[in-house]
mmCIF file of all heavy atoms in Angstrom:
data_model
loop_
_atom_site.group_PDB
_atom_site.id
_atom_site.type_symbol
_atom_site.label_atom_id
_atom_site.label_comp_id
_atom_site.label_asym_id
_atom_site.label_seq_id
_atom_site.Cartn_x
_atom_site.Cartn_y
_atom_site.Cartn_z
ATOM 1 N N PRO A 1 -193.917 -307.321 -10.899
ATOM 2 C CA PRO A 1 -193.424 -308.664 -10.556
ATOM 3 C C PRO A 1 -193.629 -309.645 -11.704
ATOM 4 O O PRO A 1 -194.541 -309.500 -12.522
ATOM 5 C CB PRO A 1 -194.270 -309.045 -9.339
ATOM 6 C CG PRO A 1 -195.512 -308.229 -9.463
ATOM 7 C CD PRO A 1 -195.087 -306.931 -10.083
ATOM 8 N N GLY A 2 -192.756 -310.642 -11.746
ATOM 9 C CA GLY A 2 -192.878 -311.701 -12.744
ATOM 10 C C GLY A 2 -192.156 -311.417 -14.044
ATOM 11 O O GLY A 2 -192.295 -312.180 -15.007
ATOM 12 N N TRP A 3 -191.366 -310.344 -14.063
ATOM 13 C CA TRP A 3 -190.659 -309.974 -15.280
ATOM 14 C C TRP A 3 -189.151 -310.114 -15.108
ATOM 15 O O TRP A 3 -188.587 -309.668 -14.109
ATOM 16 C CB TRP A 3 -190.990 -308.534 -15.678
ATOM 17 C CG TRP A 3 -192.351 -308.403 -16.281
ATOM 18 C CD1 TRP A 3 -193.540 -308.234 -15.628
ATOM 19 C CD2 TRP A 3 -192.660 -308.458 -17.675
ATOM 20 N NE1 TRP A 3 -194.570 -308.178 -16.514
ATOM 21 C CE2 TRP A 3 -194.064 -308.298 -17.786
ATOM 22 C CE3 TRP A 3 -191.903 -308.601 -18.839
ATOM 23 C CZ2 TRP A 3 -194.722 -308.306 -19.021
ATOM 24 C CZ3 TRP A 3 -192.546 -308.597 -20.059
ATOM 25 C CH2 TRP A 3 -193.943 -308.455 -20.147
ATOM 26 N N GLU A 4 -188.530 -310.754 -16.076
ATOM 27 C CA GLU A 4 -187.079 -310.756 -16.152
ATOM 28 C C GLU A 4 -186.643 -309.383 -16.687
ATOM 29 O O GLU A 4 -187.181 -308.901 -17.685
ATOM 30 C CB GLU A 4 -186.609 -311.853 -17.100
ATOM 31 C CG GLU A 4 -185.098 -311.856 -17.347
ATOM 32 C CD GLU A 4 -184.706 -312.853 -18.435
ATOM 33 O OE1 GLU A 4 -185.457 -312.970 -19.436
ATOM 34 O OE2 GLU A 4 -183.641 -313.489 -18.288
ATOM 35 N N VAL A 5 -185.661 -308.764 -16.025
ATOM 36 C CA VAL A 5 -185.219 -307.428 -16.422
ATOM 37 C C VAL A 5 -183.765 -307.486 -16.884
ATOM 38 O O VAL A 5 -182.877 -307.913 -16.143
ATOM 39 C CB VAL A 5 -185.363 -306.416 -15.264
ATOM 40 C CG1 VAL A 5 -184.907 -305.024 -15.727
ATOM 41 C CG2 VAL A 5 -186.806 -306.365 -14.773
ATOM 42 N N LEU A 6 -183.544 -307.054 -18.111
ATOM 43 C CA LEU A 6 -182.202 -306.991 -18.692
ATOM 44 C C LEU A 6 -181.871 -305.541 -19.015
ATOM 45 O O LEU A 6 -182.748 -304.770 -19.416
ATOM 46 C CB LEU A 6 -182.115 -307.808 -19.983
ATOM 47 C CG LEU A 6 -182.551 -309.265 -19.939
ATOM 48 C CD1 LEU A 6 -182.596 -309.842 -21.351
ATOM 49 C CD2 LEU A 6 -181.593 -310.080 -19.072
ATOM 50 N N LEU A 7 -180.626 -305.172 -18.853
ATOM 51 C CA LEU A 7 -180.152 -303.885 -19.330
ATOM 52 C C LEU A 7 -178.938 -304.118 -20.217
ATOM 53 O O LEU A 7 -177.948 -304.715 -19.780
ATOM 54 C CB LEU A 7 -179.787 -302.950 -18.186
ATOM 55 C CG LEU A 7 -179.322 -301.549 -18.639
ATOM 56 C CD1 LEU A 7 -179.974 -300.453 -17.814
ATOM 57 C CD2 LEU A 7 -177.804 -301.406 -18.594
ATOM 58 N N VAL A 8 -179.048 -303.712 -21.464
ATOM 59 C CA VAL A 8 -177.918 -303.801 -22.390
ATOM 60 C C VAL A 8 -177.339 -302.404 -22.522
ATOM 61 O O VAL A 8 -178.009 -301.483 -23.002
ATOM 62 C CB VAL A 8 -178.350 -304.343 -23.763
ATOM 63 C CG1 VAL A 8 -177.157 -304.387 -24.715
ATOM 64 C CG2 VAL A 8 -178.958 -305.735 -23.615
ATOM 65 N N ASP A 9 -176.101 -302.249 -22.088
ATOM 66 C CA ASP A 9 -175.451 -300.947 -22.137
ATOM 67 C C ASP A 9 -174.511 -300.888 -23.332
ATOM 68 O O ASP A 9 -173.597 -301.692 -23.469
ATOM 69 C CB ASP A 9 -174.669 -300.687 -20.848
ATOM 70 C CG ASP A 9 -173.986 -299.340 -20.890
ATOM 71 O OD1 ASP A 9 -174.686 -298.330 -20.714
ATOM 72 O OD2 ASP A 9 -172.764 -299.295 -21.126
ATOM 73 N N ASN A 10 -174.757 -299.911 -24.201
ATOM 74 C CA ASN A 10 -173.967 -299.748 -25.415
ATOM 75 C C ASN A 10 -172.769 -298.830 -25.183
ATOM 76 O O ASN A 10 -172.722 -297.688 -25.646
ATOM 77 C CB ASN A 10 -174.850 -299.196 -26.545
ATOM 78 C CG ASN A 10 -175.415 -300.298 -27.425
ATOM 79 O OD1 ASN A 10 -174.840 -301.372 -27.556
ATOM 80 N ND2 ASN A 10 -176.557 -300.023 -28.047
ATOM 81 N N ALA A 11 -171.799 -299.343 -24.414
ATOM 82 C CA ALA A 11 -170.515 -298.661 -24.217
ATOM 83 C C ALA A 11 -170.681 -297.242 -23.678
ATOM 84 O O ALA A 11 -170.064 -296.290 -24.177
ATOM 85 C CB ALA A 11 -169.720 -298.641 -25.530
ATOM 86 N N SER A 12 -171.494 -297.103 -22.643
ATOM 87 C CA SER A 12 -171.679 -295.779 -22.041
ATOM 88 C C SER A 12 -170.373 -295.262 -21.454
ATOM 89 O O SER A 12 -169.572 -296.034 -20.910
ATOM 90 C CB SER A 12 -172.738 -295.847 -20.937
ATOM 91 O OG SER A 12 -174.021 -296.085 -21.477
ATOM 92 N N GLN A 13 -170.191 -293.957 -21.553
ATOM 93 C CA GLN A 13 -169.013 -293.318 -20.977
ATOM 94 C C GLN A 13 -169.336 -292.625 -19.656
ATOM 95 O O GLN A 13 -168.447 -292.039 -19.036
ATOM 96 C CB GLN A 13 -168.454 -292.290 -21.964
ATOM 97 C CG GLN A 13 -168.042 -292.880 -23.305
ATOM 98 C CD GLN A 13 -166.963 -293.948 -23.166
ATOM 99 O OE1 GLN A 13 -165.930 -293.698 -22.532
ATOM 100 N NE2 GLN A 13 -167.189 -295.125 -23.735
ATOM 101 N N ASP A 14 -170.599 -292.706 -19.237
ATOM 102 C CA ASP A 14 -170.987 -292.086 -17.978
ATOM 103 C C ASP A 14 -171.192 -293.176 -16.912
ATOM 104 O O ASP A 14 -170.622 -294.257 -17.004
ATOM 105 C CB ASP A 14 -172.234 -291.224 -18.159
ATOM 106 C CG ASP A 14 -173.472 -292.034 -18.541
ATOM 107 O OD1 ASP A 14 -173.346 -293.265 -18.716
ATOM 108 O OD2 ASP A 14 -174.567 -291.451 -18.653
ATOM 109 N N ASP A 15 -172.031 -292.902 -15.928
ATOM 110 C CA ASP A 15 -172.219 -293.831 -14.816
ATOM 111 C C ASP A 15 -173.470 -294.698 -14.972
ATOM 112 O O ASP A 15 -174.038 -295.144 -13.970
ATOM 113 C CB ASP A 15 -172.275 -293.074 -13.495
ATOM 114 C CG ASP A 15 -173.410 -292.052 -13.440
ATOM 115 O OD1 ASP A 15 -174.040 -291.803 -14.499
ATOM 116 O OD2 ASP A 15 -173.656 -291.493 -12.351
ATOM 117 N N THR A 16 -173.888 -294.955 -16.207
ATOM 118 C CA THR A 16 -175.093 -295.756 -16.438
ATOM 119 C C THR A 16 -174.996 -297.117 -15.757
ATOM 120 O O THR A 16 -175.916 -297.527 -15.025
ATOM 121 C CB THR A 16 -175.328 -295.951 -17.949
ATOM 122 O OG1 THR A 16 -175.543 -294.680 -18.561
ATOM 123 C CG2 THR A 16 -176.536 -296.830 -18.189
ATOM 124 N N VAL A 17 -173.926 -297.841 -16.000
ATOM 125 C CA VAL A 17 -173.779 -299.197 -15.450
ATOM 126 C C VAL A 17 -173.690 -299.148 -13.929
ATOM 127 O O VAL A 17 -174.282 -299.983 -13.225
ATOM 128 C CB VAL A 17 -172.554 -299.890 -16.058
ATOM 129 C CG1 VAL A 17 -172.296 -301.227 -15.372
ATOM 130 C CG2 VAL A 17 -172.748 -300.108 -17.562
ATOM 131 N N GLN A 18 -172.975 -298.182 -13.400
ATOM 132 C CA GLN A 18 -172.852 -298.056 -11.951
ATOM 133 C C GLN A 18 -174.219 -297.843 -11.303
ATOM 134 O O GLN A 18 -174.559 -298.464 -10.291
ATOM 135 C CB GLN A 18 -171.928 -296.894 -11.608
ATOM 136 C CG GLN A 18 -171.771 -296.650 -10.111
ATOM 137 C CD GLN A 18 -170.889 -295.442 -9.811
ATOM 138 O OE1 GLN A 18 -170.230 -294.905 -10.699
ATOM 139 N NE2 GLN A 18 -170.893 -295.009 -8.571
ATOM 140 N N ARG A 19 -175.036 -296.979 -11.892
ATOM 141 C CA ARG A 19 -176.369 -296.722 -11.344
ATOM 142 C C ARG A 19 -177.274 -297.951 -11.492
ATOM 143 O O ARG A 19 -178.036 -298.275 -10.578
ATOM 144 C CB ARG A 19 -176.996 -295.515 -12.040
ATOM 145 C CG ARG A 19 -176.366 -294.175 -11.674
ATOM 146 C CD ARG A 19 -176.948 -293.057 -12.515
ATOM 147 N NE ARG A 19 -176.363 -291.769 -12.212
ATOM 148 C CZ ARG A 19 -176.889 -290.866 -11.393
ATOM 149 N NH1 ARG A 19 -178.042 -291.135 -10.783
ATOM 150 N NH2 ARG A 19 -176.301 -289.711 -11.174
ATOM 151 N N ALA A 20 -177.187 -298.621 -12.630
ATOM 152 C CA ALA A 20 -178.020 -299.799 -12.855
ATOM 153 C C ALA A 20 -177.651 -300.941 -11.915
ATOM 154 O O ALA A 20 -178.516 -301.747 -11.538
ATOM 155 C CB ALA A 20 -177.903 -300.255 -14.302
ATOM 156 N N SER A 21 -176.388 -301.016 -11.542
ATOM 157 C CA SER A 21 -175.933 -302.113 -10.679
ATOM 158 C C SER A 21 -176.515 -302.034 -9.277
ATOM 159 O O SER A 21 -176.407 -302.983 -8.498
ATOM 160 C CB SER A 21 -174.403 -302.122 -10.613
ATOM 161 O OG SER A 21 -173.917 -300.946 -9.993
ATOM 162 N N ARG A 22 -177.151 -300.922 -8.931
ATOM 163 C CA ARG A 22 -177.792 -300.797 -7.619
ATOM 164 C C ARG A 22 -179.080 -301.614 -7.544
ATOM 165 O O ARG A 22 -179.635 -301.786 -6.450
ATOM 166 C CB ARG A 22 -178.098 -299.324 -7.331
ATOM 167 C CG ARG A 22 -176.856 -298.438 -7.289
ATOM 168 C CD ARG A 22 -177.224 -296.964 -7.242
ATOM 169 N NE ARG A 22 -176.040 -296.113 -7.318
ATOM 170 C CZ ARG A 22 -176.076 -294.790 -7.487
ATOM 171 N NH1 ARG A 22 -177.250 -294.185 -7.575
ATOM 172 N NH2 ARG A 22 -174.958 -294.094 -7.559
ATOM 173 N N PHE A 23 -179.546 -302.096 -8.694
ATOM 174 C CA PHE A 23 -180.792 -302.858 -8.739
ATOM 175 C C PHE A 23 -180.444 -304.338 -8.913
ATOM 176 O O PHE A 23 -180.054 -304.780 -9.994
ATOM 177 C CB PHE A 23 -181.671 -302.360 -9.894
ATOM 178 C CG PHE A 23 -182.103 -300.937 -9.749
ATOM 179 C CD1 PHE A 23 -181.276 -299.904 -10.167
ATOM 180 C CD2 PHE A 23 -183.334 -300.635 -9.176
ATOM 181 C CE1 PHE A 23 -181.670 -298.584 -10.027
ATOM 182 C CE2 PHE A 23 -183.729 -299.312 -9.022
ATOM 183 C CZ PHE A 23 -182.889 -298.286 -9.441
ATOM 184 N N SER A 24 -180.595 -305.075 -7.842
ATOM 185 C CA SER A 24 -180.119 -306.463 -7.828
ATOM 186 C C SER A 24 -180.882 -307.360 -8.788
ATOM 187 O O SER A 24 -180.366 -308.402 -9.213
ATOM 188 C CB SER A 24 -180.217 -307.030 -6.406
ATOM 189 O OG SER A 24 -181.561 -306.963 -5.931
ATOM 190 N N GLN A 25 -182.120 -306.983 -9.133
ATOM 191 C CA GLN A 25 -182.914 -307.845 -9.992
ATOM 192 C C GLN A 25 -182.564 -307.686 -11.471
ATOM 193 O O GLN A 25 -183.063 -308.424 -12.321
ATOM 194 C CB GLN A 25 -184.419 -307.559 -9.793
ATOM 195 C CG GLN A 25 -184.991 -306.416 -10.625
ATOM 196 C CD GLN A 25 -184.740 -305.036 -10.034
ATOM 197 O OE1 GLN A 25 -183.865 -304.863 -9.193
ATOM 198 N NE2 GLN A 25 -185.515 -304.058 -10.473
ATOM 199 N N VAL A 26 -181.707 -306.727 -11.783
ATOM 200 C CA VAL A 26 -181.397 -306.407 -13.180
ATOM 201 C C VAL A 26 -180.142 -307.154 -13.624
ATOM 202 O O VAL A 26 -179.097 -307.089 -12.958
ATOM 203 C CB VAL A 26 -181.200 -304.891 -13.369
ATOM 204 C CG1 VAL A 26 -180.841 -304.571 -14.820
ATOM 205 C CG2 VAL A 26 -182.457 -304.139 -12.952
ATOM 206 N N ARG A 27 -180.263 -307.836 -14.746
ATOM 207 C CA ARG A 27 -179.100 -308.481 -15.356
ATOM 208 C C ARG A 27 -178.484 -307.504 -16.345
ATOM 209 O O ARG A 27 -179.152 -307.079 -17.292
ATOM 210 C CB ARG A 27 -179.504 -309.769 -16.062
ATOM 211 C CG ARG A 27 -178.326 -310.500 -16.719
ATOM 212 C CD ARG A 27 -178.792 -311.777 -17.373
ATOM 213 N NE ARG A 27 -177.702 -312.450 -18.057
ATOM 214 C CZ ARG A 27 -177.850 -313.545 -18.796
ATOM 215 N NH1 ARG A 27 -179.053 -314.092 -18.928
ATOM 216 N NH2 ARG A 27 -176.813 -314.102 -19.384
ATOM 217 N N ILE A 28 -177.233 -307.133 -16.138
ATOM 218 C CA ILE A 28 -176.580 -306.105 -16.937
ATOM 219 C C ILE A 28 -175.620 -306.746 -17.940
ATOM 220 O O ILE A 28 -174.809 -307.600 -17.586
ATOM 221 C CB ILE A 28 -175.814 -305.111 -16.038
ATOM 222 C CG1 ILE A 28 -176.784 -304.429 -15.056
ATOM 223 C CG2 ILE A 28 -175.081 -304.075 -16.877
ATOM 224 C CD1 ILE A 28 -176.100 -303.568 -14.022
ATOM 225 N N VAL A 29 -175.741 -306.319 -19.176
ATOM 226 C CA VAL A 29 -174.812 -306.734 -20.227
ATOM 227 C C VAL A 29 -174.106 -305.469 -20.710
ATOM 228 O O VAL A 29 -174.746 -304.552 -21.227
ATOM 229 C CB VAL A 29 -175.551 -307.409 -21.404
ATOM 230 C CG1 VAL A 29 -174.572 -307.807 -22.500
ATOM 231 C CG2 VAL A 29 -176.344 -308.611 -20.915
ATOM 232 N N SER A 30 -172.792 -305.420 -20.527
ATOM 233 C CA SER A 30 -172.018 -304.239 -20.897
ATOM 234 C C SER A 30 -171.251 -304.502 -22.179
ATOM 235 O O SER A 30 -170.374 -305.383 -22.222
ATOM 236 C CB SER A 30 -171.045 -303.862 -19.772
ATOM 237 O OG SER A 30 -171.742 -303.541 -18.586
ATOM 238 N N ASN A 31 -171.572 -303.753 -23.211
ATOM 239 C CA ASN A 31 -170.862 -303.877 -24.478
ATOM 240 C C ASN A 31 -169.636 -302.962 -24.493
ATOM 241 O O ASN A 31 -169.703 -301.823 -24.019
ATOM 242 C CB ASN A 31 -171.783 -303.519 -25.648
ATOM 243 C CG ASN A 31 -172.882 -304.546 -25.857
ATOM 244 O OD1 ASN A 31 -172.699 -305.730 -25.583
ATOM 245 N ND2 ASN A 31 -174.034 -304.101 -26.334
ATOM 246 N N SER A 32 -168.571 -303.451 -25.078
ATOM 247 C CA SER A 32 -167.351 -302.653 -25.164
ATOM 248 C C SER A 32 -167.410 -301.640 -26.298
ATOM 249 O O SER A 32 -166.586 -300.737 -26.376
ATOM 250 C CB SER A 32 -166.137 -303.573 -25.364
ATOM 251 O OG SER A 32 -166.287 -304.356 -26.544
ATOM 252 N N GLU A 33 -168.390 -301.808 -27.189
ATOM 253 C CA GLU A 33 -168.600 -300.848 -28.264
ATOM 254 C C GLU A 33 -170.095 -300.651 -28.452
ATOM 255 O O GLU A 33 -170.899 -301.493 -28.048
ATOM 256 C CB GLU A 33 -167.970 -301.340 -29.573
ATOM 257 C CG GLU A 33 -168.519 -302.663 -30.072
ATOM 258 C CD GLU A 33 -167.841 -303.133 -31.346
ATOM 259 O OE1 GLU A 33 -166.834 -302.523 -31.736
ATOM 260 O OE2 GLU A 33 -168.325 -304.107 -31.943
ATOM 261 N N ASN A 34 -170.444 -299.541 -29.059
ATOM 262 C CA ASN A 34 -171.856 -299.227 -29.289
ATOM 263 C C ASN A 34 -172.373 -300.058 -30.458
ATOM 264 O O ASN A 34 -171.993 -299.826 -31.606
ATOM 265 C CB ASN A 34 -172.023 -297.733 -29.579
ATOM 266 C CG ASN A 34 -173.479 -297.313 -29.638
ATOM 267 O OD1 ASN A 34 -174.387 -298.139 -29.723
ATOM 268 N ND2 ASN A 34 -173.719 -296.017 -29.589
ATOM 269 N N ARG A 35 -173.240 -301.010 -30.172
ATOM 270 C CA ARG A 35 -173.787 -301.878 -31.209
ATOM 271 C C ARG A 35 -175.015 -301.279 -31.879
ATOM 272 O O ARG A 35 -175.582 -301.907 -32.775
ATOM 273 C CB ARG A 35 -174.139 -303.243 -30.606
ATOM 274 C CG ARG A 35 -172.934 -304.001 -30.066
ATOM 275 C CD ARG A 35 -173.295 -305.386 -29.577
ATOM 276 N NE ARG A 35 -173.935 -306.192 -30.611
ATOM 277 C CZ ARG A 35 -174.181 -307.500 -30.487
ATOM 278 N NH1 ARG A 35 -173.830 -308.128 -29.367
ATOM 279 N NH2 ARG A 35 -174.766 -308.162 -31.449
ATOM 280 N N GLY A 36 -175.426 -300.093 -31.457
ATOM 281 C CA GLY A 36 -176.625 -299.493 -31.996
ATOM 282 C C GLY A 36 -177.864 -300.070 -31.323
ATOM 283 O O GLY A 36 -177.815 -301.108 -30.655
ATOM 284 N N PHE A 37 -178.981 -299.390 -31.502
ATOM 285 C CA PHE A 37 -180.215 -299.829 -30.867
ATOM 286 C C PHE A 37 -180.644 -301.203 -31.377
ATOM 287 O O PHE A 37 -180.963 -302.102 -30.598
ATOM 288 C CB PHE A 37 -181.318 -298.805 -31.120
ATOM 289 C CG PHE A 37 -182.609 -299.114 -30.419
ATOM 290 C CD1 PHE A 37 -182.775 -298.825 -29.079
ATOM 291 C CD2 PHE A 37 -183.662 -299.705 -31.100
ATOM 292 C CE1 PHE A 37 -183.969 -299.117 -28.425
ATOM 293 C CE2 PHE A 37 -184.864 -300.001 -30.465
ATOM 294 C CZ PHE A 37 -185.014 -299.709 -29.129
ATOM 295 N N ALA A 38 -180.642 -301.401 -32.696
ATOM 296 C CA ALA A 38 -181.089 -302.678 -33.264
ATOM 297 C C ALA A 38 -180.206 -303.823 -32.803
ATOM 298 O O ALA A 38 -180.685 -304.896 -32.440
ATOM 299 C CB ALA A 38 -181.114 -302.594 -34.785
ATOM 300 N N GLY A 39 -178.894 -303.594 -32.821
ATOM 301 C CA GLY A 39 -177.979 -304.650 -32.390
ATOM 302 C C GLY A 39 -178.172 -305.017 -30.935
ATOM 303 O O GLY A 39 -178.120 -306.197 -30.562
ATOM 304 N N ALA A 40 -178.401 -304.012 -30.087
ATOM 305 C CA ALA A 40 -178.607 -304.280 -28.664
ATOM 306 C C ALA A 40 -179.924 -305.002 -28.415
ATOM 307 O O ALA A 40 -180.011 -305.875 -27.541
ATOM 308 C CB ALA A 40 -178.557 -302.968 -27.877
ATOM 309 N N VAL A 41 -180.966 -304.658 -29.190
ATOM 310 C CA VAL A 41 -182.245 -305.361 -29.046
ATOM 311 C C VAL A 41 -182.073 -306.830 -29.410
ATOM 312 O O VAL A 41 -182.520 -307.728 -28.676
ATOM 313 C CB VAL A 41 -183.335 -304.717 -29.915
ATOM 314 C CG1 VAL A 41 -184.580 -305.609 -29.951
ATOM 315 C CG2 VAL A 41 -183.698 -303.340 -29.387
ATOM 316 N N ASN A 42 -181.433 -307.099 -30.528
ATOM 317 C CA ASN A 42 -181.209 -308.497 -30.930
ATOM 318 C C ASN A 42 -180.384 -309.242 -29.889
ATOM 319 O O ASN A 42 -180.641 -310.414 -29.585
ATOM 320 C CB ASN A 42 -180.514 -308.547 -32.288
ATOM 321 C CG ASN A 42 -181.426 -308.132 -33.427
ATOM 322 O OD1 ASN A 42 -182.654 -308.147 -33.298
ATOM 323 N ND2 ASN A 42 -180.847 -307.766 -34.545
ATOM 324 N N GLN A 43 -179.402 -308.569 -29.352
ATOM 325 C CA GLN A 43 -178.572 -309.168 -28.303
ATOM 326 C C GLN A 43 -179.424 -309.505 -27.088
ATOM 327 O O GLN A 43 -179.309 -310.601 -26.511
ATOM 328 C CB GLN A 43 -177.467 -308.191 -27.930
ATOM 329 C CG GLN A 43 -176.477 -308.697 -26.893
ATOM 330 C CD GLN A 43 -175.429 -307.644 -26.555
ATOM 331 O OE1 GLN A 43 -175.593 -306.464 -26.876
ATOM 332 N NE2 GLN A 43 -174.359 -308.066 -25.905
ATOM 333 N N ALA A 44 -180.298 -308.587 -26.693
ATOM 334 C CA ALA A 44 -181.151 -308.805 -25.523
ATOM 335 C C ALA A 44 -182.110 -309.959 -25.746
ATOM 336 O O ALA A 44 -182.310 -310.798 -24.855
ATOM 337 C CB ALA A 44 -181.926 -307.530 -25.202
ATOM 338 N N VAL A 45 -182.717 -310.025 -26.931
ATOM 339 C CA VAL A 45 -183.662 -311.113 -27.208
ATOM 340 C C VAL A 45 -182.935 -312.458 -27.180
ATOM 341 O O VAL A 45 -183.490 -313.465 -26.710
ATOM 342 C CB VAL A 45 -184.359 -310.899 -28.566
ATOM 343 C CG1 VAL A 45 -185.297 -312.062 -28.872
ATOM 344 C CG2 VAL A 45 -185.151 -309.592 -28.560
#
């Protein structure tokens, strides 16, 4: 408790976003292209 939860999805082709959307407390950011790990971290921060 007490944590903001973000999920940055780097253009997954599977059901990652669909599964994550089952968790109402999670804010999902879906990228249309793979920004890489570093790019997604900077985006999340």
Side-chain angles (χ1 to χ4, degrees):
W3 285 86
E4 175 187 39
V5 181
L6 306 171
L7 182 135
V8 178
D9 180 76
N10 265 333
S12 291
Q13 300 300 308
D14 65 357
D15 59 350
T16 298
V17 173
Q18 178 183 349
R19 289 174 181 263
S21 65
R22 299 170 185 170
F23 297 84
S24 58
Q25 85 278 19
V26 179
R27 180 179 177 185
I28 300 173
V29 179
S30 298
N31 291 329
S32 58
E33 60 182 9
N34 188 346
R35 297 184 57 171
F37 184 80
V41 170
N42 289 340
Q43 183 181 15
V45 178

